[in-house]
Amino acid sequence: MRAVLTLYFLSFFHWDENLSTAVYHAFSALCYFTPVIGAIMADSWLGKYNDHLPLHCVCCWPSDKVSRCHSIPGQPGSSCVLSMVGLFLIALGTGGIKPCVSAFGGDQFEEEHTSERSKFFSIFYLSINAGSLISTFVTPVLRGDVKCFGEDCYALAFGVPAALMVLALVVFIAGSGLYRKTPPQGNVLLEVCKCIGFAIKNRLKNRSREIPKRDHWLDWASEKYSKQLIGEVKMVTRVLFLFIPLPMFWALFDQQGSRWTLQATKMNADFGIYVLQPDQMQFLNPLLILVFIPIFDLGLYPLINMCKLNFTPIRKMATGMILAGLAFGLAAVIEVKINETDMPRLVPKESLIRVLNLAKNPVQVTIQDKDLFQQPVESFQNPAEYSKLILNGEQQSLHFTLQHQGLTLAFNYTVKEKSVYSLIVFAAEGSLSSHLITDLEAKPENGLAAVRFINGLSQDVNLTVDSNKFIAVQKNYSASEYSLLERDIYNNGKCITETGEFPLELGLLDFGASYTVVITNISGGAVEIWKSEDIKANNVHMAWQLPQYLLISAGEVMFSITGLAFSYSQSPASMKSVLQAGWLLTVAVGNTFVLIVAEAAPMAQWAEFVLFTVLLFAVCIIFSIMGYFYVSVDPEDLEEKEEKRETSSRGNMIGLVTQKTKL
């Protein structure tokens, strides 16, 4: 569902990119925070099955709510409230599913069936990535290739996952009688939190210098908790300390669904045989993960070991951070290239203007006190770049002079700041006339094309561009409003006038471009047009995002899988769920950091990419230093030493008692 979420905010609610990004990452952060609560509920009160079942229902209902609230056209206000409620409930529902489903599957196996359990987890991980691969490819197709009320069909994009969740719930309940349902046995995460809280509280109470110091700050919990629990908490806190820099990686990684998708909307998505939707590029990540895991495990890592290189887990994770940083560096370079076709950003007291000469002869245009248009503008000359107008206030009345075949004509127009204009010059009653019309100030969003029409005929026209676009344009060089269209070749249009119906061929309307189409004449049963490109089309191909997806996917394999395996190897068996909670919280904190940057410090997109690159490199250095001083341990060895120490202590006590008896 997240694959289309950013574009849903952008297109349906008409939020800006920063707000859409912030809400997307707020939702993502909540989805990774609620599993901690869900795990506590499952282990302490409900059990994994009973926790999974109602929260699965919670997840189904809001998915359907989001789909139905979008299906009400023209009511974005009420839909916004319903959508936010739906997203909150989905985050709550995933909190019950995410921590329980894999553990519940593992509970179905006896302890002696370790190989079968391992196969189950392999199939489970494969299923997750296969589902992610299919959904990130198909859901954007449901959104973009199917139309609802003449717009992208978000109702279908949200409704199909909702229906599949209901189907999954039915299948899950159908097997209820076959499951082993382990009763809740208490949650170790709560015990760990209570132990840490008591140690801190007890230490603050005993700050007197007369009280002897203890070897470790957690030893202050010994009055209430066992030495075994305190020792295990010590091992866990060492690993959790290493988790502190990790959120920065997730801050970059999860922007695939927000900033990278928004970047894709400003690129050329035509791959020849198929035109990708901008939110479909996300399917590369799960696809590359499925490809990279066997390559790394069976090829790269054994090769490094053969070269006698000590590629420790800490170094693997640091390398993953570096790869993610490089991916964002590439994203920044691509963003700079994309911006070359953008309209310039206007500041107060600035406007842009150009001249479209639709007369038969060259025209010299002069603007009062402005040194613009030094050369005459040729008839139907493709317009050059926009020229910048400096005004003396928020708006200014300017005097325009047109010189044409010895005639001098004057016109006055009011120009506003931060606006873009076209001066239309045309022949009228043996002389010249003009219109000053407003142009688009920025590229059309989501890779759409914008087109408007100027009717140069002496009769009104009704235009049909495709089956959904009907445009009426009055006579004598009147201009229509801009219409937004999907990128396509439009050669099946119609032009209806008082004298008949004629075919209208516009040709290719490309990604992100803006066009002005002038209807000049009707001859030989066809409409003659002149088409100019107001804003250049997206000329950076979407394939240039492939290297950054390769880098960040390779970084995920080296960072995420290695990090989980390393943290599990460094903690006792009873503390695995604590580390799972800590790992999920690093993802939540990373997403929270992105929404803070998006809302609190808005900046040019390329600069934001550079900022995240620099921050991740800095964090990577800190993490490497922390890892350098970290000493790996084997929890089983520590437990054996603790048992021997306790046994030895008990033996000495027995000896003392025996000796006293003899005396």
Side-chain angles (χ1 to χ4, degrees):
M1 192 207 65
R2 287 198 308 169
V4 300
L5 196 56
T6 301
L7 296 185
Y8 175 60
F9 295 149
L10 199 69
S11 302
F12 187 64
F13 295 135
H14 304 292
W15 293 347
D16 61 29
E17 293 186 356
N18 288 331
L19 180 58
S20 300
T21 299
V23 176
Y24 173 90
H25 287 282
F27 171 68
S28 299
L30 193 59
C31 285
Y32 280 95
F33 176 76
T34 53
V36 179
I37 302 174
I40 295 174
M41 292 172 58
D43 290 344
S44 302
W45 302 299
L46 298 178
K48 297 182 182 68
Y49 177 83
N50 292 327
D51 185 54
H52 182 284
L53 184 60
L55 291 179
H56 194 131
C57 298
V58 168
C59 210
C60 294
W61 177 61
S63 297
D64 179 66
K65 177 189 286 288
V66 172
S67 71
R68 285 187 288 109
C69 77
H70 174 76
S71 65
I72 308 172
Q75 298 183 18
S78 59
S79 295
C80 180
V81 175
L82 290 173
S83 294
M84 294 305 104
V85 172
L87 291 177
F88 175 78
L89 292 176
I90 289 172
L92 187 64
T94 197
I97 297 173
K98 194 182 290 290
C100 296
V101 61
S102 59
F104 183 70
D107 288 346
Q108 307 309 306
F109 298 88
E110 301 287 351
E111 288 300 324
E112 61 268 20
H113 298 154
T114 55
S115 61
E116 289 81 1
R117 182 187 295 165
S118 178
K119 291 178 182 178
F120 163 76
F121 282 119
S122 296
I123 296 172
F124 175 74
Y125 189 75
L126 177 65
S127 300
I128 289 177
N129 283 275
S132 179
L133 174 63
I134 295 170
S135 64
T136 50
F137 189 85
V138 174
T139 309
V141 173
L142 299 177
R143 171 196 65 80
D145 292 355
V146 181
K147 298 302 176 184
C148 300
F149 310 105
E151 298 180 348
D152 287 349
C153 197
Y154 287 100
L156 186 63
F158 293 134
V160 169
L164 292 176
M165 285 290 288
V166 173
L167 177 62
L169 179 60
V170 171
V171 173
F172 182 69
I173 295 175
S176 177
L178 305 175
Y179 301 147
R180 292 180 58 198
K181 301 171 185 177
T182 306
Q185 300 174 346
N187 187 271
V188 70
L189 178 59
L190 287 177
E191 288 298 311
V192 171
C193 293
K194 291 178 181 178
C195 179
I196 293 174
F198 181 80
I200 295 173
K201 182 180 178 181
N202 196 28
R203 179 67 183 91
L204 293 175
K205 283 183 178 179
N206 299 278
R207 288 177 292 178
S208 175
R209 296 183 179 180
E210 298 177 358
I211 300 176
K213 294 183 178 180
R214 303 188 183 182
D215 295 336
H216 194 278
W217 63 273
L218 279 169
D219 291 333
W220 289 95
S222 59
E223 283 83 356
K224 185 175 181 180
Y225 295 94
S226 66
K227 289 184 177 180
Q228 180 181 357
L229 178 62
I230 294 173
E232 291 176 347
V233 174
K234 287 178 182 179
M235 286 185 273
V236 168
T237 53
R238 293 175 70 247
V239 180
L240 292 178
F241 180 71
L242 281 178
F243 281 7
I244 293 175
L246 303 190
M248 187 53 65
F249 175 87
W250 299 115
L252 276 69
F253 179 82
D254 277 345
Q255 290 188 56
Q256 295 177 73
S258 57
R259 294 301 198 192
W260 284 16
T261 297
L262 293 174
Q263 184 184 69
T265 63
K266 299 177 284 188
M267 304 177 78
N268 187 336
D270 186 5
F271 284 82
I273 58 175
Y274 188 77
V275 177
L276 276 181
Q277 300 290 341
D279 38 0
Q280 275 182 306
M281 283 297 287
Q282 298 173 62
F283 91 95
L284 286 174
N285 177 248
L287 176 63
L288 291 170
I289 292 299
L290 293 175
V291 172
F292 281 158
I293 287 176
I295 291 178
F296 279 51
D297 288 343
L298 303 178
L300 180 61
Y301 294 155
L303 181 62
I304 292 175
N305 292 332
M306 290 174 59
C307 296
K308 307 297 183 181
L309 296 176
N310 187 20
F311 203 38
T312 63
I314 297 292
R315 292 176 181 176
K316 289 179 183 177
M317 294 175 68
T319 304
M321 289 182 174
I322 293 172
L323 292 176
L326 292 175
F328 264 66
L330 289 179
V333 173
I334 292 173
E335 192 69 25
V336 171
K337 295 297 293 182
I338 289 173
N339 290 343
E340 291 179 358
T341 60
D342 276 352
M343 293 289 286
R345 291 181 177 271
L346 296 174
V347 299
K349 298 183 181 181
E350 277 188 1
S351 291
L352 297 176
I353 191 169
R354 64 171 187 170
V355 177
L356 294 180
N357 180 13
L358 307 183
K360 295 182 179 180
N361 296 295
V363 175
Q364 178 67 54
V365 179
T366 306
I367 304 177
Q368 174 189 357
D369 300 328
K370 309 296 180 185
D371 189 19
L372 302 176
F373 310 120
Q374 299 295 325
Q375 300 296 326
V377 181
E378 298 294 331
S379 176
F380 290 94
Q381 172 183 321
N382 282 323
E385 299 290 335
Y386 283 91
S387 299
K388 186 177 295 185
L389 273 174
I390 306 299
L391 309 179
N392 57 16
E394 293 183 0
Q395 64 180 30
Q396 182 180 354
S397 180
L398 296 176
H399 185 74
F400 290 77
T401 302
L402 307 180
Q403 295 179 346
H404 171 71
Q405 293 183 331
L407 295 176
T408 301
L409 303 169
F411 302 91
N412 290 318
Y413 293 109
T414 299
V415 177
K416 297 181 180 180
E417 66 178 3
K418 293 185 177 181
S419 299
V420 183
Y421 297 96
S422 286
L423 180 66
I424 309 299
V425 180
F426 55 91
E429 299 179 354
S431 183
L432 287 182
S433 187
S434 65
H435 293 321
L436 188 67
I437 59 177
T438 304
D439 297 353
L440 288 181
E441 300 172 9
K443 274 180 169 290
E445 295 178 345
N446 301 334
L448 298 175
V451 61
R452 69 176 172 189
F453 296 88
I454 296 177
N455 181 11
L457 304 179
S458 58
Q459 52 185 325
D460 297 342
V461 298
N462 291 301
L463 305 174
T464 303
V465 178
D466 60 14
S467 58
N468 298 318
K469 289 292 180 181
F470 303 94
I471 304 168
V473 191
Q474 295 181 352
K475 59 186 177 180
N476 297 331
Y477 295 93
S478 296
S480 70
E481 297 293 331
Y482 280 100
S483 297
L484 296 178
L485 300 169
E486 298 283 346
R487 186 260 190 190
D488 206 344
I489 297 175
Y490 293 89
N491 286 335
N492 296 319
K494 296 178 182 179
C495 177
I496 303 173
T497 68
E498 297 173 356
T499 58
E501 180 179 303
F502 306 94
L504 177 65
E505 297 182 359
L506 300 180
L508 175 64
L509 302 182
D510 213 348
F511 295 106
S514 170
Y515 300 93
T516 295
V517 177
V518 182
I519 301 174
T520 58
N521 193 18
I522 296 179
S523 176
V527 178
E528 296 181 1
I529 64 170
W530 177 73
K531 183 172 72 172
S532 71
E533 191 176 51
D534 306 339
I535 300 176
K536 293 181 180 178
N538 301 343
N539 59 4
V540 180
H541 200 276
M542 201 181 288
W544 284 106
Q545 279 195 325
L546 179 59
Q548 64 198 56
Y549 274 98
L550 284 168
L551 286 172
I552 205 162
S553 299
E556 181 191 5
V557 172
M558 303 189 78
F559 178 88
S560 181
I561 297 176
T562 304
L564 277 172
F566 170 73
S567 59
Y568 271 42
S569 71
Q570 298 297 293
S571 64
S574 61
M575 295 289 167
K576 306 299 185 186
S577 61
V578 179
L579 288 176
Q580 178 70 16
W583 187 265
L584 293 173
L585 286 178
T586 64
V587 184
V589 173
N591 280 276
T592 304
F593 183 74
V594 178
L595 76 89
I596 292 173
V597 172
E599 281 297 293
M603 61 188 76
Q605 190 54 64
W606 67 267
E608 185 179 291
F609 285 150
V610 172
L611 172 65
F612 278 109
T613 300
V614 173
L615 288 176
L616 185 58
F617 284 158
V619 166
C620 180
I621 294 173
I622 295 172
F623 177 74
S624 299
I625 295 172
M626 294 169 63
Y628 178 79
F629 291 101
Y630 180 85
V631 179
S632 296
V633 296
D634 187 344
E636 294 182 359
D637 292 343
L638 290 178
E639 291 176 0
E640 289 178 2
K641 290 180 181 180
E642 186 67 24
E643 289 177 1
K644 289 180 180 179
R645 189 181 298 112
E646 291 181 359
T647 303
S648 176
S649 176
R650 286 195 297 268
N652 292 337
M653 289 297 293
I654 291 171
L656 285 172
V657 172
T658 304
Q659 189 174 5
K660 285 183 178 181
T661 304
K662 288 179 180 179
L663 286 172

